């Protein structure tokens, strides 16, 4: 990536995302939302949308704007669209949350806040999809990892569409009144498209390239990568298309979701096997902290899949869906994003600060911008807290769950400090910190 243009607002996206994550964790610790309230209640919807849109989607968009051009060796289609997209996503989520708080009786506001917030979010995601979609279109035929991203972009369109319909139903408008059963039948499709397609499938594609790049590993096994993509696409197609048809014909979703789950397990098995192959074939024998923690996040993903299969076989999946969703959202997705941010933030900072003077003056290494031994304890706390919180949900211990999330919050604060230290070059030895010709980076904005 030497000489690659830096996405100016990447760090801004990450900072906004982490602020949303901390807010969600504080709300959970305070007893806001599930399990202290109904899993489908307004309070829980506040926390769920902060995590999935404010934290995960915002962080993922920032990473995609930087790394999709690297995946396809093409410049980003329109960088000028990226800041308006961030503003629309942040404003839209804020308005949507105000609508949920009104629905839950915490605010005295109009119900139309829900469709207005949803509309702003749809506009923000439309800019994201158009920008990344045109970048991918210019590089067809797409390389393997980029195909995962393309599928994820299609899934966020489905997710946003259903979210817009839900907002109309919840706001009590005349249009929304035409679909009285949509909330019951459509939520599984909305969740599958969002968590399964947009967040997980896209994260799988990006992690392929990041793991190979940061481990100095050869390209992944083309056959396994193709199998992971095809099986994943099949799972999404069966779940989404079949779910929409089942919703239209008013039939049950059980068979559709069972077939989609089988294909998803095959995709996961191929992806996991391929990632292990990258680890074995790597040239960098001593794994850096971000890579080790990415593997721990993958283990959480495998655990969630195995638990899901066990609960489906036992007929108790519905009663444990909250715990499984938390494990996927925190143990897998949040853990993976934080692990990669621990490398991405110093990597982009290093490119910005030392890339222009490379070869002319002595410069530090990327790993000199971080202190892995100090950061390791925060990752240990984060994953231990996430797993303990999942266990507390499985045994229906609400207080224990909140205490475990308090540990997760502490770890998130610690990792946030590590990101700030990397941007401030705080851990770089003084002789190399700012050599002649290098300029200190801004905290929240990168120089192109």
């Amino acid at each position: 990536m030497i000489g690659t243009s830096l996405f100016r607002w990447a760090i801004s996206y990450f900072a906004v995302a982490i602020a949303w994550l901390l807010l969600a964790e504080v709300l959970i610790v305070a007893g806001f939302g599930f399990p202290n309230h109904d899993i489908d209640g307004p309070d829980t919807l506040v926390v769920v949308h902060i995590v999935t849109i404010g934290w995960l989607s915002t962080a993922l968009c920032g990473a995609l704007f930087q790394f999709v051009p690297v995946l396809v060796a093409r410049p980003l289609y329109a960088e000028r669209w990226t800041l308006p997209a961030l503003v629309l996503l942040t404003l839209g989520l804020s308005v949507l949350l105000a609508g949920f708080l009104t629905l839950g009786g915490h605010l005295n506001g109009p119900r139309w806040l829900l469709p207005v917030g949803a509309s702003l979010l749809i506009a923000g995601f439309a800019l994201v999809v158009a920008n990344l979609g045109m970048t991918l279109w210019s590089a067809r035929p797409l390389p393997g990892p980029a195909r995962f991203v393309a599928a994820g972009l299609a899934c966020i369109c489905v997710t946003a569409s259903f979210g817009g319909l839900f907002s109309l139903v919840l706001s009590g408008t005349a249009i929304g009144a035409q679909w009285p059963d949509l909330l019951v039948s459509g939520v599984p499709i909305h969740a599958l498209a969002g968590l399964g397609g947009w967040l997980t499938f896209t994260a799988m594609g990006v992690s392929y390239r990041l793991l190979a790049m940061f481990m100095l590993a050869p390209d992944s096994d083309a056959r396994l990568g193709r199998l992971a993509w095809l099986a994943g696409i099949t799972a999404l197609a069966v779940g989404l298309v079949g779910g929409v048809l089942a919703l239209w014909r008013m039939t049950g979703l059980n068979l559709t979701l069972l077939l989609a789950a089988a294909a998803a397990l095959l995709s996961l098995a191929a992806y996991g096997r391929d990632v292990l192959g990258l680890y074995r074939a790597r040239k960098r024998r001593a794994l850096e902290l971000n890579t080790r923690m990415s593997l721990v996040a993958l283990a959480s993903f495998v655990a969630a899949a195995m638990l899901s299969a066990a609960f489906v076989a036992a007929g108790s999946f519905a009663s444990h869906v909250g715990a499984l969703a938390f494990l996927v959202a925190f143990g897998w997705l949040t853990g993976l994003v934080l692990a990669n941010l621990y490398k991405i933030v110093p990597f982009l900072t290093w490119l910005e600060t030392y890339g222009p003077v490379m070869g002319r003056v002595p410069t530090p290494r990327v790993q000199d911008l971080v202190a892995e031994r100090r950061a390791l304890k925060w990752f240990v706390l984060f994953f231990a807290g996430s797993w303990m919180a999942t266990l507390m949900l499985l045994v229906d211990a609400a207080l224990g769950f909140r205490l475990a999330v308090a540990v997760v919050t502490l770890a998130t604060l610690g990792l946030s400090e590590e990101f700030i230290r990397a941007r401030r070059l705080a851990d770089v030895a003084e002789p190399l910190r700012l050599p002649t010709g290098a300029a200190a980076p801004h905290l929240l904005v990168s120089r192109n």
Side-chain angles (χ1 to χ4, degrees):
M1 281 186 60
I2 301 298
T4 298
S5 176
L6 291 177
F7 167 44
R8 180 174 176 81
W9 304 106
I11 303 299
S12 304
Y13 270 78
F14 299 151
V16 171
I18 291 173
W20 282 118
L21 173 61
L22 287 169
L23 175 59
E25 292 171 344
V26 168
L27 288 175
I28 293 173
V29 172
F32 197 85
F34 182 79
N36 296 87
H37 299 87
D38 292 340
I39 195 170
D40 56 352
D43 292 357
T44 303
L45 291 177
V46 168
V47 176
V48 167
H49 286 81
I50 290 176
V51 172
T52 55
I53 299 177
W55 157 234
L56 291 172
S57 293
T58 302
L60 188 56
C61 287
L64 290 175
F65 283 138
Q66 179 62 63
F67 287 103
V68 163
V70 177
L71 286 178
V72 298
R74 295 286 193 282
L76 188 64
Y77 180 75
E79 184 163 339
R80 65 185 180 276
W81 294 356
T82 56
L83 183 57
L86 177 59
V87 171
L88 285 169
L89 291 175
T90 304
L91 180 60
L93 178 57
S94 300
V95 176
L96 185 73
L97 296 178
F100 286 138
L101 291 172
T102 298
L103 199 63
H106 301 287
L107 289 179
N108 185 20
R111 289 285 188 94
W112 50 256
L113 287 172
L114 288 168
V116 169
S119 298
L120 291 170
L121 285 171
I122 289 172
F125 280 121
L127 283 179
V128 172
V129 172
N131 205 351
L132 294 172
M134 293 301 294
T135 305
L136 293 172
W137 181 260
S138 68
R140 62 191 189 283
L142 295 176
R147 287 185 233 166
F148 285 81
V149 177
L153 293 178
C155 287
I156 191 56
C157 294
V158 177
T159 307
S161 298
F162 270 88
L165 291 175
F166 293 154
S167 72
L168 293 174
V169 175
L170 289 171
S171 65
T173 63
I175 298 176
Q178 299 177 25
W179 301 295
D181 298 324
L182 182 63
L183 288 175
V184 176
S185 304
V187 167
I189 304 173
H190 183 62
L192 174 62
L195 270 179
W198 162 237
L199 294 173
T200 291
F201 210 55
T202 304
M204 288 167 63
V206 174
S207 66
Y208 265 127
R209 177 56 60 204
L210 292 183
L211 286 171
M213 183 166 61
F214 293 142
M215 290 191 301
L216 301 181
D219 288 338
S220 58
D221 188 316
R223 292 171 301 175
L224 284 173
R226 192 178 303 112
L227 176 59
W229 184 79
L230 287 174
I233 285 292
T234 301
L236 293 171
V238 169
L240 298 181
V241 177
V244 171
L245 290 176
L247 180 60
W248 176 50
R249 300 187 63 180
M250 302 301 292
T251 58
L253 287 172
N254 291 341
L255 179 59
T256 297
L257 295 179
L258 183 62
L259 293 174
L265 286 175
L266 177 59
S267 176
L268 172 61
Y271 168 73
R273 177 66 181 82
D274 207 5
V275 167
L276 288 176
L278 288 176
Y279 277 88
R280 293 194 183 105
R282 70 188 187 277
K283 295 181 180 178
R284 177 171 284 162
R285 303 315 301 172
L287 291 179
E288 294 178 328
L289 182 60
N290 64 290
T291 307
R292 302 201 304 271
M293 295 304 103
S294 294
L295 185 58
V296 175
L298 180 59
S300 297
F301 190 24
V302 172
M306 295 175 63
L307 285 173
S308 298
F311 290 141
V312 168
S316 59
F317 180 82
S319 60
H320 293 113
V321 68
L324 295 172
F326 182 88
L327 182 57
V328 170
F330 278 82
W332 157 236
L333 289 169
T334 298
L336 182 69
V337 172
L338 288 174
N340 280 285
L341 284 182
Y342 186 73
K343 184 67 175 185
I344 291 171
V345 171
F347 184 59
L348 296 182
T349 303
W350 183 88
L351 282 176
E352 177 185 355
T353 307
Y354 305 110
V357 298
M358 275 290 294
R360 292 183 293 177
V361 295
T363 59
R365 304 167 302 166
V366 176
Q367 52 266 45
D368 291 333
L369 274 67
V370 295
E372 290 194 355
R373 181 174 298 180
R374 187 180 62 228
L376 176 61
K377 66 177 181 293
W378 300 123
F379 279 109
V380 170
L381 281 176
F382 176 84
F383 283 109
S386 297
W387 297 335
M388 182 57 65
T390 302
L391 178 61
M392 293 297 101
L393 287 176
L394 290 175
V395 299
D396 199 23
L399 179 59
F401 170 69
R402 291 164 60 186
L403 292 173
V405 176
V407 174
V408 172
T409 306
L410 177 63
T412 304
L413 286 169
L415 290 172
S416 300
E417 182 186 11
E418 297 297 322
F419 300 148
I420 293 172
R421 290 182 63 87
R423 290 297 291 172
R424 294 299 192 194
L425 308 175
D427 291 309
V428 181
E430 187 58 37
L432 296 177
R433 187 169 182 267
L434 280 178
T436 303
H442 300 302
L443 182 60
L444 298 178
V445 181
S446 298
R447 295 183 180 89
N448 291 100

